[in-house]
Amino acid sequence: MLKNLITFKQLPLSNTLLTDKKESVNCYDLNISFDENTKLVSVVDNVEPKFLFPDDYVYDSSQSKTMVKHFKKCALKLHKRFHPSSVLEIGSNSGIFIKHFNPDTTVAVEPCSNFAEITEELGYKTYPKFWNTELSNEIKESFENGFDLISASNCICHIQDLDDCFTAVHNLLSDRGVFVFEDPSLIETMKRNSYDQFYDEHAHIFSVTALEKLLERNGLFLFDVEPLSVHGGSNRIFASKTETEKTDRMKEILKDESDYGLDKLSTYEEFAKRVEKSKEDLFNILKQFNERGYKVISYGATSKSTTVFNYCGIDDYLIQYITDTTEDKQGKYSPGVKLPVVSPEEGFDETVDVAFLGAWNFEKEIREKESEYEKSGGLWITHVPEVRVLGHKEFVHEPWVELDE
Ligand code: JHZ
């Protein structure tokens, strides 16, 4: 029942930065499929999780102020709405969310041991393992009553076997418990043409339509969905072991997905055409900047930009380097096209004319932080929702016509 929607040819692992430019990189075709049965959009032929989430994993969610605030607010809301007496977080990363819960009654699961050490040091019992039914049985030996809140942020969409994942949740959720998780939304990805949400780690990009079916066949009932602005448009999903009335906002989202045509193949065929155009537009605009002698760099060495640069064929001729605040990424080379990654202190200076928003999902935070750059004439370029140049003025077409004057 799987239909191929789009293929991104020969992409490297999205977060495997190179320490030496001469290192060779394995690349894979990233095939995105649509399951006509469940309506789930997924990556096929997944790379084994241990290669995607190694013990020196580099993505640290605490690098953005927006996310720090977001998870604090989320934790407060969950405390207030559900009063959980015990909590389990799947994929706790650097502890950005879990730190708002009592370590005596809260447990973490984090397969990347460098991050598992961080939450363990913060006082949370942390299982440095991948989430699956086997682990849920192991945890149950020590926590036989299960948990009132099982939470996961930007994590469930990374898990390839969803039936096993949801069975494991069911196994550890208390009878009054709630399973709350958030991930990028498929409809927002389509509307924004943000094809860079597709990379190896994102085994799926979820619609609520697909999740409802998948949860239900594993004994979990979706009852509410909260739309979120983070990461280019996400959904926070609420499910429990007993069927309860669905909220109006969930019903509205399901209707929007159906009206948009997320259950129809033709919608994805149109999306694939828009992606192809985005690739051509981005390459052409960067080429034009290059021919005019502008210095172009990228801001944020993201997983998303690995897809963009490799898919569009953007190398260090068009973008000189990437700046990123994550120390573990600095001094390395981006996967595939091998753009050097440097700290903002080293690379974001007055010589930069144009910066590509690799972390376009933090546009507001970044533009506020770098307001001086814009005031002195610096420009941004983004491909979301279409290729355009931003700065003291927005240009959609041929910015150099005015800039050259
Ligand atoms: P960001 C990662 O994707 C991987 P990425 C993962 N698979 C996932 O699902 C999402 O996160 C949630 C830097 N930065 O969040 C920090 C600056 O340099 O868009 C990060 O390296 N300056 C788990 O990698 C990167 O940009 C800044 O001011 O696509 C942002 O990465 C800010 C705000 C960020 O996720």
Side-chain angles (χ1 to χ4, degrees):
M1 301 299 279
L2 291 188
K3 294 268 186 227
N4 188 57
L5 299 180
I6 188 163
T7 299
F8 297 98
K9 290 211 167 290
Q10 294 299 295
L11 298 188
L13 296 188
S14 59
N15 264 318
T16 309
L17 286 94
L18 311 178
T19 37
D20 183 344
K21 205 175 178 183
K22 290 192 207 92
E23 266 177 68
S24 62
V25 206
N26 288 330
C27 289
Y28 308 82
D29 282 355
L30 190 80
N31 292 304
I32 312 300
S33 73
F34 176 67
D35 184 334
E36 287 196 299
N37 217 353
T38 60
K39 315 296 177 204
L40 182 66
V41 169
S42 306
V43 165
V44 280
D45 305 324
N46 303 102
V47 175
E48 263 191 79
K50 66 177 183 203
F51 296 117
L52 298 177
F53 306 103
D55 293 330
D56 56 353
Y57 188 61
V58 284
Y59 179 71
D60 173 6
S61 49
S62 307
Q63 292 293 318
S64 144
K65 279 192 189 143
T66 311
M67 296 317 294
V68 170
K69 265 197 232 151
H70 169 82
F71 285 118
K72 182 174 180 191
K73 199 168 147 203
C74 169
L76 290 174
K77 273 171 122 175
L78 294 177
H79 272 298
K80 216 168 149 192
R81 184 169 172 190
F82 299 110
H83 309 286
S85 57
S86 53
V87 178
L88 175 121
E89 190 187 16
I90 311 169
S92 43
N93 196 257
S94 47
I96 189 169
F97 171 77
I98 210 171
K99 68 179 186 197
H100 302 291
F101 292 86
N102 180 351
D104 296 337
T105 53
T106 304
V107 168
V109 170
E110 173 50 65
C112 306
S113 63
N114 56 337
F115 283 109
E117 276 164 23
I118 298 178
T119 44
E120 192 71 48
E121 271 165 29
L122 290 173
Y124 297 90
K125 162 83 188 140
T126 305
Y127 291 83
K129 294 186 176 180
F130 285 100
W131 178 250
N132 53 34
T133 42
E134 197 186 323
L135 176 62
S136 75
N137 288 330
E138 183 188 329
I139 298 176
K140 207 164 186 176
E141 283 170 20
S142 312
F143 298 90
E144 57 184 14
N145 296 328
F147 298 88
D148 288 346
L149 172 65
I150 298 184
S151 166
S153 299
N154 300 302
C155 173
I156 301 300
C157 74
H158 298 73
I159 299 179
Q160 296 163 9
D161 184 348
L162 290 175
D163 285 326
D164 182 74
C165 165
F166 294 153
T167 304
V169 169
H170 191 275
N171 193 19
L172 278 180
L173 198 62
S174 69
D175 287 341
R176 74 167 196 98
V178 55
F179 174 36
V180 181
F181 63 100
E182 63 183 71
D183 284 300
S185 139
L186 180 63
I187 190 167
E188 295 304 328
T189 299
M190 307 278 287
K191 284 183 181 168
R192 287 177 167 80
N193 295 318
S194 48
Y195 64 86
D196 49 346
Q197 291 285 14
F198 291 109
Y199 53 88
D200 48 12
E201 289 180 11
H202 280 173
H204 322 275
I205 299 291
F206 291 134
S207 64
V208 178
T209 311
L211 278 175
E212 193 181 23
K213 288 190 208 339
L214 287 155
L215 286 160
E216 203 167 319
R217 78 180 184 199
N218 293 288
L220 293 166
F221 299 92
L222 212 167
F223 62 91
D224 192 12
V225 181
E226 184 180 354
L228 306 166
S229 61
V230 293
H231 286 304
S234 300
N235 282 321
R236 184 174 292 146
I237 304 289
F238 298 79
S240 62
K241 279 163 91 167
T242 42
E243 204 165 356
T244 47
E245 185 156 1
K246 299 176 189 334
T247 59
D248 288 341
R249 64 182 178 181
M250 169 176 166
K251 289 181 200 156
E252 260 169 52
I253 293 176
L254 283 170
K255 185 177 176 309
D256 285 350
E257 291 190 351
S258 162
D259 292 347
Y260 191 81
L262 283 192
D263 51 352
K264 292 193 197 78
L265 260 181
S266 55
T267 308
Y268 300 96
E269 282 159 9
E270 287 306 313
F271 173 72
K273 282 185 206 154
R274 297 199 299 275
V275 171
E276 187 67 32
K277 179 170 183 325
S278 175
K279 169 187 177 169
E280 280 163 25
D281 287 351
L282 184 62
F283 187 85
N284 287 338
I285 204 164
L286 289 174
K287 208 164 130 246
Q288 296 280 1
F289 276 128
N290 180 275
E291 281 165 10
R292 284 166 171 78
Y294 286 88
K295 175 172 173 181
V296 184
I297 66 137
S298 184
Y299 198 103
T302 59
S303 320
K304 296 183 291 292
S305 60
T306 298
T307 292
V308 175
F309 296 154
N310 288 280
Y311 170 62
C312 300
I314 294 163
D315 57 14
D316 59 4
Y317 181 70
L318 292 176
I319 290 191
Q320 295 194 11
Y321 53 80
I322 309 175
T323 63
D324 197 290
T325 50
T326 317
E327 280 178 20
D328 285 345
K329 295 186 181 181
Q330 295 161 5
K332 297 188 178 160
Y333 295 88
S334 75
V337 290
K338 300 183 181 177
L339 305 185
V341 181
V342 301
S343 68
E345 292 73 31
E346 190 184 335
F348 200 67
D349 57 22
E350 63 295 337
T351 63
V352 175
D353 298 306
V354 188
F356 175 76
L357 281 167
W360 55 265
N361 41 317
F362 297 121
E363 180 189 327
K364 189 166 175 281
E365 176 178 340
I366 292 171
R367 289 181 71 184
E368 272 169 18
K369 184 160 72 175
E370 307 294 1
S371 59
E372 284 307 314
Y373 165 74
E374 254 178 65
K375 275 189 209 141
S376 56
L379 297 172
W380 302 100
I381 181 164
T382 181
H383 63 297
V384 178
E386 62 185 328
V387 175
R388 63 208 165 101
V389 176
L390 317 165
H392 56 285
K393 187 166 176 244
E394 181 165 338
F395 307 89
V396 178
H397 300 290
E398 306 193 328
W400 41 86
V401 173
E402 280 186 49
L403 295 174
D404 283 354
E405 278 169 7

